[in-house]
Amino acid sequence: MNERRPRWLGEFDAHLAQVVAESEVPGAAACVTLGPEIVYLRAFGWRDREARLPATGRTVFGLASLSKSFTALAALVLQARGIWTLDDPVSDHLPDFRYPGLGSVEEPVRLWHMLSHTTGVPPLRALEFALRRDQLGDPAHVYSDRDTGEDPDVGGYDELMAYMRRGERPVLDRPGRIVSYSNECVALVGAAMERVTGKSFPQVLREEVLGPLGMTSTAFDLEEAGPTGDRAVLYTRTPAGVVRSPTWSLAPAYLGTGMLKSSASDLARYLSFMAAGDGAELGLTRELMTELTLPRAWSQPGGAYALGWSVRPHAGVSVVRHGGSLKGVSTCQGFVPDLGLGVAVLMNLDGAPALRAWYGAINLALGMAPDTPVYGTDHEPLWAAPGSAATELGRYAGVYSSGEPWGRLELVAEPLSAGSDGGERSDEVDEGRYLFAYSGDDRERTGRLALMERSRGSDAGTLEFAIVGEKGAWDGGRFHLDADGRPFAVQHAQRWYDREET
């Protein structure tokens, strides 16, 4: 640890402890780096709650989608080695990659499109098929009523590409224009690496990134990452509460999109490297490193997706971060180049507020309260006066779906007193109506919708919104509007959701 420890770390420690306790997270770990130094490394709770084994800064957790930034970095290293360029058409390396209606000789899908979710491929259900087969036999599997008997085989790269060639849904747009989160496309960058190098993707990542950075507890294989046994047990939230659910997801075709495991101490090395930005340890130039954080297309209110990272201004600085979620995994990591600051938060429970915990450090470093939400606090929710026809709310109300089981957003006009609202309640009998958001198949009520300012230029046919919950505006998206100003789709959680007709 370093003598330069910022004074705000004590408050961050208290913030983390509070978030972990109120969210019933069994175990968590976090690191903070400042320049090349680790100034904070702390764990909370249990890596194994039932055995009463405490989490440590070296406990190996799942990373989920934090894996994507490692895939992007490895792809960039191969470019620096002269093996390929990120501008290469994907078909140069994966001749079997196709999606109906997508790409052409003039506008091919390129590697950077895959890493930035801008291929035009719509949301697909393939990852769901891979994950739920992995969970057969898990003690918590009894809480899932989905039948896996008819699921297509997406167990390998060739099977995944065959599934994609069938074309489950229409393409969204030409490559490079629309962000819609595609685990499939990022995963196939790993397949392309294997074809171009003649090595397995885990070997490429280990030789080109993990080894040179000294990340000895980071790997796809759980035992390789944590040979001492200091590994987190997975937990999930069910109707019976937070329960042990120890079966890890394997999904071999999806290694590069979400299957890495690591520890807070290892991620500290990674974040110090990323925040420095010079790329020296991996033989990259500073100019080449900027490719990773160059905004490619809109992905959230005020922000954009780059290559394996989201980029957004926050209180006058640029924040580069990414979150991750799988069963038993909630994570967030990122850095602030202007401050030389890196932060990672790892939790062994899905659906836990790793993002809010992570922003606690960023906010405190910038002199703000730790719980200052990502989209600020000054949002006036959409509201219809008592007794009005609520036509404005009706314009936006409805169900928007990505086609995935977790990709559902339902907007409903309701009075404030109808349930948990994320704001002050009115004692009036007729208090008017707000537009409430319900997310996912389980219709979790997440907050009230508040419109933000219209996008400009090529995005003039859109309207940004924030979802204001009990802890403020931590979520958001944008409507895509037809000529009459009626939404026909939304981008939410970095995915494209079509409006369902009623």
Side-chain angles (χ1 to χ4, degrees):
M1 297 291 182
N2 189 292
E3 296 295 329
R4 297 192 303 154
R5 280 176 55 89
R7 293 183 178 180
W8 53 261
L9 283 174
E11 193 172 351
F12 176 57
D13 190 77
H15 171 72
L16 274 177
Q18 179 182 346
V19 171
V20 167
E22 70 184 20
S23 305
E24 301 178 285
V25 174
C31 68
V32 178
T33 62
L34 192 60
E37 304 294 335
I38 302 173
V39 295
Y40 181 91
L41 182 64
R42 172 82 192 278
F44 300 81
W46 312 100
R47 71 175 190 264
D48 185 332
R49 185 180 62 185
E50 288 71 27
R52 312 307 280 179
L53 297 175
T56 74
R58 292 176 175 78
T59 297
V60 171
F61 290 78
L63 295 189
S65 287
L66 304 195
S67 307
K68 291 177 172 65
S69 68
F70 289 90
T71 301
L73 180 56
L76 196 67
V77 172
L78 294 187
Q79 176 167 315
R81 303 280 187 271
I83 295 172
W84 68 11
T85 75
L86 297 186
D87 209 40
D88 286 354
V90 177
S91 59
D92 286 359
H93 308 292
L94 295 176
D96 291 334
F97 171 78
R98 292 187 301 278
Y99 193 89
L102 182 67
S104 64
V105 174
E106 296 78 17
E107 292 186 289
V109 177
R110 303 183 187 277
L111 290 172
W112 73 263
H113 294 140
M114 305 283 270
L115 292 167
S116 62
H117 304 296
T118 60
T119 60
V121 171
L124 303 173
R125 293 182 61 197
L127 180 58
E128 174 202 359
F129 299 140
L131 294 179
R132 65 188 191 179
R133 283 193 176 185
D134 284 347
Q135 294 304 307
L136 292 174
D138 184 83
H141 186 72
V142 295
Y143 295 101
S144 173
D145 59 1
R146 296 190 178 102
D147 180 17
T148 63
E150 301 298 320
D151 291 358
D153 180 8
V154 291
Y157 292 133
D158 289 339
E159 291 81 2
L160 177 57
M161 284 189 283
Y163 165 85
M164 295 180 72
R165 288 195 299 271
R166 296 201 294 268
E168 189 175 289
R169 306 178 71 193
V171 297
L172 301 176
D173 206 332
R174 302 193 307 275
R177 295 173 61 86
I178 292 287
V179 167
S180 186
Y181 208 77
S182 177
N183 285 294
E184 290 72 28
C185 289
V186 177
L188 288 175
V189 176
M193 286 190 199
E194 293 193 353
R195 303 286 173 87
V196 77
T197 64
K199 302 175 181 179
S200 71
F201 174 60
Q203 183 180 357
V204 173
L205 188 64
R206 184 171 58 251
E207 292 178 356
E208 302 291 356
V209 175
L210 304 178
L213 293 182
M215 299 180 69
T216 57
S217 63
T218 304
F220 294 105
D221 182 80
L222 185 63
E223 293 189 4
E224 181 183 345
T228 66
D230 191 354
R231 306 188 293 258
V233 171
L234 306 183
Y235 294 85
T236 192
R237 197 179 301 277
T238 73
V242 173
V243 301
R244 187 183 183 96
S245 184
T247 304
W248 287 77
S249 298
L250 301 176
Y254 285 86
L255 294 182
T257 200
M259 299 301 152
L260 265 181
K261 289 86 177 170
S262 189
S263 64
S265 59
D266 250 24
L267 289 182
R269 298 174 185 267
Y270 180 57
L271 291 171
S272 291
F273 167 79
M274 291 301 304
D278 59 18
E281 291 174 85
L282 299 185
L284 302 174
T285 64
R286 184 174 293 274
E287 181 181 13
L288 203 52
M289 283 289 291
T290 63
E291 290 291 312
L292 292 172
T293 57
L294 178 68
R296 308 291 170 149
W298 188 101
S299 65
Q300 59 178 303
Y305 203 89
L307 301 182
W309 295 99
S310 291
V311 183
R312 189 180 188 278
H314 183 70
V317 299
S318 179
V319 171
V320 182
R321 65 154 208 95
H322 209 288
S325 178
L326 280 172
K327 189 211 72 175
V329 178
S330 294
T331 59
C332 191
Q333 72 169 357
F335 57 99
V336 182
D338 292 343
L339 304 179
L341 177 71
V343 184
V345 175
L346 307 174
M347 298 176 173
N348 61 350
L349 173 69
D350 49 277
L355 174 65
R356 186 161 63 89
W358 183 87
Y359 257 107
I362 307 303
N363 288 330
L364 286 165
L366 293 169
M368 300 186 295
D371 248 343
T372 303
V374 61
Y375 298 121
T377 57
D378 187 21
H379 298 297
E380 186 66 32
L382 269 171
W383 177 74
S388 74
T391 54
E392 181 71 3
L393 300 191
R395 178 189 301 270
Y396 305 105
V399 175
Y400 301 81
S401 173
S402 74
E404 305 152 297
W406 47 77
R408 186 179 190 276
L409 180 69
E410 184 176 357
L411 304 180
V412 183
E414 294 178 336
L416 196 60
S417 58
S420 175
D421 55 77
E424 296 291 331
R425 290 176 184 266
S426 170
D427 293 327
E428 298 178 13
V429 174
D430 187 358
E431 59 194 32
R433 289 180 176 269
Y434 296 84
L435 201 63
F436 282 92
Y438 292 82
S439 297
D441 269 2
D442 57 359
R443 297 188 76 249
E444 178 187 2
R445 196 182 198 192
T446 52
R448 292 179 284 169
L449 219 71
L451 292 183
M452 303 172 75
E453 67 180 51
R454 287 185 180 274
S455 302
R456 295 176 174 82
S458 61
D459 295 325
T462 65
L463 189 63
E464 294 184 345
F465 62 84
I467 298 176
V468 185
E470 293 182 1
K471 300 294 184 179
W474 291 92
D475 197 3
R478 68 175 177 176
F479 293 105
H480 287 260
L481 311 176
D482 62 21
D484 296 327
R486 181 178 182 272
F488 62 88
V490 301
Q491 284 174 275
H492 174 249
Q494 301 186 120
R495 283 176 167 83
W496 182 275
Y497 292 57
D498 291 309
R499 187 173 191 165
E500 295 183 0
E501 295 300 328
T502 57

